[in-house]
Amino acid sequence: MKRLFKLNTYFKLLLLIASTSVFFFILYTSLYLYTIKEEDRFYKTTYSQYNNEVKSIFRLNSKTPTAVVIDVTFWDQLVNFAKTKDQKWYDNYLLSEFESYEVDYIGVYGLDQQMINKTTSAKIKSFDFIPKAMMTRLYKSRLKRFYLRIPEGIVEVFGATIHPSNDPKKNKTKPSGYFFMARLLDQSFFNSLEGISSSKVSLAAADYVISAEDDFVTVGLDLKDWKNEVVSKLLFKRPFNLKYSKTKEILFIVVFASLINILTFVYYTKRWVYNPLKLIKSILETGNTKAIKALKKAKGEFGYIGNLFEENNNQRKLLEISKQKAEESDTLKSSFLANLSHEIRTPMNAIMGFSDLLADVNLTEKERLEYLKIIKNSGTNLVSIIEDLIEMSKIDANQIAPNYKGLDLEKFITELYNSIKVTIPKEKDIDFYIFENTDKIQGNILTDETKLRQIIVNLITNAIKFTDKGFVAFGYTINKEKGILKFIIEDSGLGISENYLKVIFDRFRRIEDDSSTELTGLGLGLSITKAYVKMLGGEITVESKIGFGSVFAFSIPLKLDYTEKVLIPRKEISFSGNHENEIILIAEDDNINFLLLKKIIESKKHTVLRASNGQEAVKICAENPNISLVFMDIKMPILNGYEAFEKIKIIRPELPVIAQTAYSSFEDREKIIQCGFNDYITKPLDKEKVFVLLDTIFFKINS
């Protein structure tokens, strides 16, 4: 028993199969022996019953001809015919009734054993086949039924002596002659018996030996002649309904199937249980990856376990990779934070330093303007850094989605070229141009114009940044078969080493070499560009060689805009700049931002009111009908800019409201316009843009 418990699962299963198999084999053997015994008993019973039934049927079948023979031979006129041999009487009384006797032969013989007259059917051609010696025996027995073999086959003969009607027992008078009836045992005879007995009836040789059959029971009747010798055998064959042979075959099939089942069970138990358990043991002991792949191929739970092992193995590898990346990321973040500190401190240092210098009363006007220009440029750089950080965080949070609209690509490329060309520093000897494209797009394409512009601008400005002399060019090609629109930005600048090409689109990565140390940036520009390209459903690639320049290429799906555009004629606006003395409400919770906007507006000689939150802005608009314009900060306490705007529009639906926000993304701007604001301005505020907004709004009001 202890040895049994020490066996592994597979051998326990084999032992269970073996013991179950022995039990079933004993059961099958017992059933087989019982079946043989029952088959023998039932066959004997069935044969005995069938034998009695056949004999009864055969006797019954012969009673009618026997009765006819007896009836005919107690006939006075037949006695007279045996003496007179009157042919006319024979024709009128025997020949005319031949068919009613249902036999194939009738014959009348005299006591001298000579035929007086006979009648036969078409089946019998023989003339006189009744043996003479048989008549001698019939003289004594008075009635006889026997069988004869004639050329036409076996015939059943019914013979009787002829007596007057007053001698029914044929013991008072001597016979006057002999009367015979015979019928041929042909197919019609067999068919008649088959219908009565539900059996197959046939003749066999006299010496035929009946053998037992599994599916049939056969009874043979000896057909004897007048000398009591067997002439032939009449066989009755009926299906044996209870076929024990089939039962035995089924038992053999069950045994055979059981053997196949046992072998199959053993095989698949080894394949589905033992082998997987062996693989699991190997995986747990050694972590064998080949064993994991083999276990995955197993069906059912073991395959699922193999997937779990693979997933666990992959997770372990991912954890190792994540750990490696985390360590690398820590290094990158440390480098990024140091770079961020440097990049922020550089413009801040300029802003604060030159702000201090502006306090010097001895500055000349030229120096003061130069310092202000440096402060403004540094502020712009600082805003650019912050916007990159915000944009990257929004990309990570999936808060940006493409906004597809129709775009005239040729016009877009031309405008982009003109706007970038004027920004190229004069000290750079760069030939800036557009690649010529003979296969131009007819009509507009569907894309996100803002993101497409940002991608191309980022790549072109990047190319200009790293190119001091040579060329920077861009353009597009079309692959109509694949439905791809491909943009190419090429330069003859510094180039990028092969090592940096692998990580150039990773965030916080910057090219650090002697030729690029003087260039600024956080290393987020290309990461944002790649994210935008992916957002538009495309891919970006780069090819470069140190000293020969770089080629950036990105492709996006080519989607044509088939919508019809309704052109609304624009009203030309000329700004006089003379709108003064308007009352303007500034809803702003930050004091510095309020003060800056207040000074800008008051420089145009307008009156400024202030609301420190959204609720206060609604109240002031309700109480002061002379307010001409509202600058509404989006982010405020109590009521934000959107909520305050909705309430003001209920009170003063005609009052123009301009949104001012630090949220500068396209999605934020789109939301502002969709909410119904007349316009918007982003922070940090640009004085000239504020002036343009004021002139535009007041021109519309007064026109």
Side-chain angles (χ1 to χ4, degrees):
M1 185 61 71
K2 290 182 179 179
R3 290 182 179 179
L4 178 62
F5 286 113
K6 289 181 180 180
L7 293 174
N8 61 33
T9 304
Y10 175 66
F11 287 104
K12 287 180 181 178
L13 286 172
L14 289 183
L15 185 61
L16 178 63
I17 295 169
S19 59
T20 306
S21 302
V22 170
F23 170 76
F24 277 109
F25 279 127
I26 293 172
L27 179 62
Y28 294 151
T29 304
S30 302
L31 286 172
Y32 182 74
L33 295 174
Y34 176 76
T35 301
I36 292 174
K37 183 179 179 181
E38 280 296 301
E39 180 184 17
D40 184 61
R41 183 189 67 80
F42 186 76
Y43 186 85
K44 288 178 180 178
T45 303
T46 302
Y47 180 83
S48 176
Q49 292 175 350
Y50 186 46
N51 186 47
N52 294 333
E53 180 184 344
V54 166
K55 289 179 179 179
S56 298
I57 290 172
F58 195 70
R59 281 197 301 271
L60 182 63
N61 185 259
S62 299
K63 277 188 177 182
T64 299
T66 302
V68 171
V69 166
I70 292 172
D71 186 56
V72 170
T73 54
F74 288 112
W75 193 5
D76 292 336
Q77 292 183 10
L78 183 61
V79 172
N80 188 49
F81 173 74
K83 294 176 181 179
T84 64
K85 302 177 182 176
D86 186 359
Q87 182 66 35
K88 186 176 180 181
W89 180 91
Y90 181 86
D91 293 339
N92 289 336
Y93 292 98
L94 289 181
L95 181 62
S96 62
E97 297 294 328
F98 178 72
E99 291 184 2
S100 66
Y101 296 153
E102 296 181 356
V103 293
D104 299 304
Y105 170 88
I106 59 171
V108 181
Y109 288 79
L111 285 177
D112 57 359
Q113 300 179 352
Q114 297 299 315
M115 179 181 289
I116 300 172
N117 210 337
K118 74 174 180 69
T119 301
T120 62
S121 68
K123 297 178 183 178
I124 296 179
K125 304 297 182 181
S126 299
F127 177 75
D128 185 8
F129 53 81
I130 304 298
K132 306 301 180 181
M134 185 269 158
M135 296 181 195
T136 303
R137 188 170 294 185
L138 180 61
Y139 187 88
K140 294 179 180 180
S141 63
R142 302 295 200 253
L143 180 68
K144 193 73 174 178
R145 178 170 67 91
F146 59 95
Y147 296 89
L148 290 175
R149 182 178 293 279
I150 63 175
E152 289 82 359
I154 303 296
V155 291
E156 184 180 28
V157 181
F158 301 89
T161 55
I162 301 171
H163 294 268
S165 59
N166 60 356
D167 188 11
K169 293 185 179 179
K170 299 184 179 183
N171 55 5
K172 295 179 181 181
T173 60
K174 292 181 180 181
S176 300
Y178 306 98
F179 183 80
F180 293 95
M181 297 175 62
R183 56 182 177 182
L184 184 66
L185 304 188
D186 59 357
Q187 190 60 46
S188 61
F189 176 82
F190 298 151
N191 291 341
S192 176
L193 284 179
E194 286 175 357
I196 299 171
S197 63
S198 301
S199 307
K200 180 69 177 176
V201 181
S202 61
L203 285 173
D207 57 352
Y208 178 79
V209 179
I210 299 173
S211 57
E213 296 181 69
D214 291 335
D215 297 334
F216 296 93
V217 57
T218 304
V219 170
L221 295 180
D222 291 337
L223 303 181
K224 298 180 180 180
D225 62 7
W226 59 277
K227 293 185 288 187
N228 208 31
E229 293 178 357
V230 178
V231 176
S232 181
K233 281 188 178 180
L234 187 63
L235 302 181
F236 288 77
K237 192 173 186 179
R238 179 185 287 175
F240 189 31
N241 294 326
L242 189 60
K243 298 178 182 178
Y244 280 93
S245 59
K246 297 295 182 183
T247 305
K248 288 185 282 186
E249 287 177 8
I250 291 170
L251 281 173
F252 279 122
I253 290 171
V254 170
V255 172
F256 182 73
S258 299
L259 286 171
I260 298 297
N261 184 58
I262 290 166
L263 294 175
T264 304
F265 200 88
V266 171
Y267 172 76
Y268 282 104
T269 301
K270 183 176 185 298
R271 182 176 174 181
W272 291 345
V273 178
Y274 176 71
N275 291 343
L277 288 175
K278 187 177 179 181
L279 291 172
I280 290 172
K281 182 179 178 183
S282 174
I283 293 166
L284 292 174
E285 289 177 350
T286 64
N288 190 343
T289 55
K290 290 184 179 179
I292 293 175
K293 289 181 179 178
L295 186 62
K296 276 183 64 182
K297 294 178 181 178
K299 296 181 179 180
E301 293 81 359
F302 288 113
Y304 177 70
I305 292 170
N307 288 327
L308 291 178
F309 273 124
E310 185 180 54
E311 185 177 344
N312 182 62
N313 195 43
N314 291 337
Q315 286 178 350
R316 188 174 70 250
K317 289 179 180 179
L318 288 174
L319 285 173
E320 292 173 357
I321 294 170
S322 297
K323 179 184 176 184
Q324 184 179 356
K325 285 187 175 181
E327 291 172 351
E328 183 182 353
S329 180
D330 284 340
T331 305
L332 287 174
K333 284 181 180 178
S334 298
S335 174
F336 166 72
L337 290 173
N339 186 33
L340 177 63
S341 175
H342 174 268
E343 295 298 331
I344 290 178
R345 285 177 180 275
T346 299
M348 286 299 296
N349 180 57
I351 292 168
M352 295 178 68
F354 284 99
S355 295
D356 287 339
L357 291 177
L358 284 174
D360 188 354
V361 296
N362 296 320
L363 287 176
T364 64
E365 184 65 19
K366 182 180 178 181
E367 289 175 329
R368 187 176 68 81
L369 291 174
E370 185 181 351
Y371 294 169
L372 287 172
K373 183 179 179 182
I374 293 170
I375 291 170
K376 184 176 181 181
N377 290 338
S378 298
T380 302
N381 290 338
L382 187 59
V383 169
S384 177
I385 291 169
I386 293 170
E387 284 183 346
D388 279 354
L389 287 171
I390 293 171
E391 195 69 11
M392 201 70 239
S393 66
K394 285 187 175 183
I395 290 170
D396 289 341
N398 292 323
Q399 292 180 351
I400 301 176
N403 181 41
Y404 290 99
K405 289 183 179 179
L407 174 67
D408 185 340
L409 189 58
E410 286 297 321
K411 183 180 177 182
F412 170 79
I413 292 291
T414 304
E415 289 177 352
L416 204 59
Y417 170 78
N418 292 331
S419 62
I420 295 175
K421 185 176 182 180
V422 297
T423 64
I424 299 175
K426 294 180 180 179
E427 63 271 14
K428 287 181 177 280
D429 184 13
I430 295 175
D431 184 13
F432 182 53
Y433 60 89
I434 301 172
F435 289 124
E436 287 297 328
N437 185 9
T438 55
D439 187 12
K440 295 183 179 180
I441 293 178
Q442 302 298 323
N444 294 347
I445 64 168
L446 274 177
T447 189
D448 188 322
E449 180 182 352
T450 304
K451 290 180 177 55
L452 182 60
R453 184 186 302 274
Q454 190 65 47
I455 293 166
I456 298 174
V457 168
N458 283 355
L459 294 175
I460 292 176
T461 53
N462 207 51
I464 292 171
K465 184 192 296 186
F466 288 94
T467 304
D468 292 327
K469 186 177 181 180
F471 71 91
V472 173
F474 74 105
Y476 71 91
T477 59
I478 305 168
N479 189 330
K480 292 182 179 179
E481 292 181 358
K482 295 183 178 179
I484 291 175
L485 183 59
K486 185 176 182 181
F487 293 89
I488 302 169
I489 296 88
E490 186 175 354
D491 66 72
S492 61
L494 299 175
I496 306 167
S497 68
E498 189 175 346
N499 292 334
Y500 282 112
L501 284 175
K502 299 176 182 177
V503 296
I504 193 170
F505 293 109
D506 293 349
R507 62 184 63 184
F508 311 137
R509 290 281 192 174
R510 287 181 59 198
I511 299 175
E512 304 288 349
D513 56 29
D514 295 338
S515 59
S516 62
T517 52
E518 63 200 35
L519 300 172
T520 61
L522 291 176
L524 291 176
L526 288 177
S527 298
I528 294 171
T529 299
K530 182 180 179 181
Y532 281 168
V533 171
K534 187 176 180 181
M535 210 175 291
L536 295 180
E539 295 180 350
I540 187 168
T541 59
V542 59
E543 295 178 3
S544 185
K545 190 174 182 181
I546 294 293
F548 291 90
S550 306
V551 178
F552 284 84
F554 70 93
S555 58
I556 59 174
L558 175 60
K559 299 178 182 178
L560 298 178
D561 181 18
Y562 296 105
T563 57
E564 295 183 2
K565 290 193 173 182
V566 179
L567 298 176
I568 301 174
R570 296 183 61 183
K571 186 177 180 181
E572 293 295 330
I573 299 176
S574 60
F575 302 110
S576 62
N578 295 325
H579 301 293
E580 299 177 352
N581 299 322
E582 300 286 352
I583 298 175
I584 298 174
L585 174 63
I586 300 175
E588 175 63 72
D589 60 325
D590 185 80
N591 293 329
I592 301 300
N593 287 336
F594 167 72
L595 182 60
L596 175 60
L597 184 55
K598 178 176 179 291
K599 291 297 182 183
I600 293 172
I601 293 173
E602 286 180 344
S603 68
K604 299 289 283 184
K605 300 194 177 170
H606 296 299
T607 302
V608 175
L609 301 179
R610 182 188 184 186
S612 299
N613 56 63
Q615 187 175 346
E616 190 177 338
V618 175
K619 183 180 179 183
I620 293 173
C621 288
E623 294 175 352
N624 194 337
N626 295 322
I627 294 175
S628 303
L629 178 64
V630 178
F631 278 89
M632 181 69 72
D633 186 27
I634 294 299
K635 187 177 180 182
M636 286 191 300
I638 304 179
L639 292 177
N640 63 35
Y642 296 114
E643 295 168 338
F645 173 77
E646 289 179 2
K647 292 182 180 295
I648 290 171
K649 281 298 177 181
I650 294 172
I651 302 167
R652 300 271 306 275
E654 79 290 346
L655 181 62
V657 181
I658 296 174
Q660 52 169 335
T661 178
Y663 303 122
S664 59
S665 69
F666 173 80
E667 288 77 11
D668 296 317
R669 297 171 190 173
E670 193 73 15
K671 183 179 178 182
I672 289 169
I673 296 302
Q674 288 178 358
C675 284
F677 286 89
N678 294 75
D679 215 324
Y680 67 91
I681 188 166
T682 59
K683 299 174 185 178
L685 299 174
D686 186 309
K687 180 177 67 173
E688 296 302 324
K689 289 183 180 180
V690 175
F691 289 161
V692 171
L693 272 176
L694 290 173
D695 287 343
T696 304
I697 293 295
F698 290 133
F699 181 85
K700 290 179 180 179
I701 292 172
N702 296 322
S703 60

